[in-house]
Amino acid sequence: MEFIYEYGLFLAQAVTFVAAVLIVVAGILSLSVRQRGDIQGGQIELLNLNEKYRHIGETFREVIDEPEALKLHKKSAKKDEKAKTKIAKKKHKKGADELPEERRKRLYVLGFDGDVKASATDNLREEISAVLPQIEKGDEVLVKVESPGGMVHSYGLASSQLQRIKDAGVPLVIAVDKVAASGGYMMACVADRIIAAPFAVLGSIGVVAQLPNFHRLLQKNSVDFELFTAGEHKRTVTMFGENTDKGREKFVEELEETHVLFKNFVSANRPALDIGKVATGEIWYGQNALAEGLIDELQTSDAFVQGRLADWDVFEVTFAHKKNWQEKLGLAAESALEKSFLKIWQRGQGGNNY
């Protein structure tokens, strides 16, 4: 048994070493690609959620239904499919103009998973650009926003992308299942309607900035820091220089100005909101956010989507970047490394789970 354990440990270490080498090689190769200025393209991926859940339902029936009931269901489904095919052929023969329009309303589902820099904005831009030309009267767009906020200018741009949907006259619903705070709420408030899960975090309508100052440490070690600027307020506070009261006051003044812009933006999009009450930087859970007027309804994005499947055609739209072989190799190596470390850790814990 000891030999088997030692052999397993050696094998895990070997896999870890190989995975680490692959990551380094992949990193070097991908770096060289970026340095040459190559831009990885992408493509729009469309998932028909009606079909997805129909297939799931079929799978359940295969297991749950009695053979006779399953047979009747398949017969009915086949009959419906033939009827649809017959209508399509008839429409093709007579011409589309001679038959009434039977197109169902469509719901396009987009997602935004935000970080500090709102990096998902580029994908959101591509998705909106792809969807808008397809929109017809009665269609809607649902955007699932998950973000704790981040840089002001980054989330300002993300909000502007959502504004494109509103400007096109398309009803926009924002769903918050976990968190839409600060910049995340800046995006959410653009919507015609905001829905949120009961314990989703919303609000945080405020501005924050913080930075360490190493001036005394540098001074203690006889290190001079010199900063040269042109313009009285080009630099108000720094990490390495000695900050003055005047500089701090100007910095806080700029934060206040940004806060005013934030409040005005929210007020313009949700005029019924008591902005003076909610723009304190506090956060509210979904149930309380509804009472404060920050959202319009308690509902998850899943419930909203499934409520439309019977009468609407629902499509999930994502922009996927094409990955070259170096990136794929890096992801595979990262996964192998993670699994190896997990196995070693579990062995060291004696198989206990926490």
Side-chain angles (χ1 to χ4, degrees), residues 248-264:
R248 293 188 187 95
E249 288 174 8
K250 180 60 180 175
F251 189 73
V252 172
E253 181 184 325
E254 292 171 349
L255 290 182
E256 291 291 347
E257 290 175 356
T258 305
H259 190 205
V260 169
L261 289 172
F262 192 176
K263 291 191 291 184
N264 290 344

Side-chain angles (χ1 to χ4, degrees), residues 35-334:
Q35 287 175 338
R36 289 200 303 268
D38 294 349
I39 299 175
Q40 295 301 322
Q43 60 187 13
I44 290 292
E45 295 181 350
L46 207 61
L47 176 62
N48 187 321
L49 295 183
N50 302 79
E51 288 298 309
K52 172 186 174 181
Y53 289 108
R54 186 179 70 79
H55 285 305
I56 291 174
E58 294 291 342
T59 301
F60 268 79
R61 289 190 186 93
E62 291 284 348
V63 177
I64 297 173
D65 285 0
E66 294 293 332
E68 190 60 33
L70 182 61
K71 185 177 179 181
L72 289 172
H73 169 74
K74 287 184 175 181
K75 186 177 180 180
S76 176
K78 191 174 181 180
K79 185 179 179 180
D80 291 342
E81 191 63 34
K82 283 184 177 180
K84 288 180 182 179
T85 303
K86 188 176 180 179
I87 291 173
K89 287 181 178 179
K90 186 178 179 182
K91 195 172 183 179
H92 179 71
K93 285 182 179 180
K94 292 190 175 182
D97 295 336
E98 297 181 31
L99 290 174
E101 181 59 51
E102 297 178 356
R103 177 188 181 280
R104 300 204 303 176
K105 293 180 181 179
R106 293 175 181 170
L107 174 68
Y108 295 95
V109 183
L110 284 58
F112 183 92
D113 190 2
D115 55 18
V116 172
K117 297 188 293 184
S119 304
T121 303
D122 289 339
N123 286 12
L124 182 65
R125 175 195 290 121
E126 297 291 347
E127 291 159 5
I128 293 173
S129 296
V131 165
L132 285 181
Q134 316 305 323
I135 295 288
E136 294 186 14
K137 187 176 180 180
D139 294 346
E140 291 184 6
V141 174
L142 170 71
V143 181
K144 298 185 289 185
V145 173
E146 301 296 339
S147 174
M151 296 179 179
V152 175
H153 59 283
S154 299
Y155 277 89
L157 178 59
S159 301
S160 297
Q161 293 300 326
L162 294 178
Q163 187 64 47
R164 293 171 57 199
I165 300 173
K166 291 282 295 295
D167 291 343
V170 182
L172 172 63
V173 180
I174 295 292
V176 183
D177 290 325
K178 295 179 182 178
V179 57
S182 195
Y185 189 75
M186 178 189 288
M187 293 180 66
C189 75
V190 175
D192 297 291
R193 182 177 165 207
I194 304 174
I195 63 174
F199 286 92
V201 175
L202 300 110
S204 189
I205 304 173
V207 184
V208 63
Q210 57 186 347
L211 75 163
N213 183 266
F214 300 97
H215 173 67
R216 285 185 293 176
L217 177 63
L218 297 178
Q219 195 175 48
K220 182 179 179 180
N221 290 277
S222 301
V223 178
D224 294 328
F225 173 77
E226 297 182 68
L227 178 67
F228 305 95
T229 63
E232 183 182 0
H233 301 301
K234 180 62 179 177
R235 185 69 69 237
T236 52
V237 294
T238 73
M239 292 177 60
F240 302 106
E242 183 178 6
N243 293 322
T244 64
D245 289 339
K246 184 178 180 180
R248 293 188 187 95
E249 288 174 8
K250 180 60 180 175
F251 189 73
V252 172
E253 181 184 325
E254 292 171 349
L255 290 182
E256 291 291 347
E257 290 175 356
T258 305
H259 190 205
V260 169
L261 289 172
F262 192 176
K263 291 191 291 184
N264 290 344
F265 183 83
V266 175
S267 293
N269 284 282
R270 293 186 72 84
L273 195 61
D274 184 351
I275 195 65
K277 184 178 180 182
V278 300
T280 58
E282 297 173 75
I283 59 99
W284 284 265
Y285 290 107
Q287 300 174 76
N288 297 329
L290 178 62
E292 297 295 341
L294 290 163
I295 64 172
D296 301 296
E297 185 180 349
L298 290 176
Q299 189 179 35
T300 64
S301 62
D302 301 305
F304 183 87
V305 168
Q306 291 211 311
R308 298 296 180 92
L309 290 174
D311 304 313
W312 293 52
D313 289 327
V314 185
F315 301 95
E316 186 176 77
V317 184
T318 55
F319 178 77
H321 289 278
K322 293 179 181 178
K323 293 182 176 63
N324 56 30
W325 68 269
Q326 295 99 328
E327 291 172 322
K328 291 178 180 177
L329 178 62
L331 290 172
E334 182 182 356

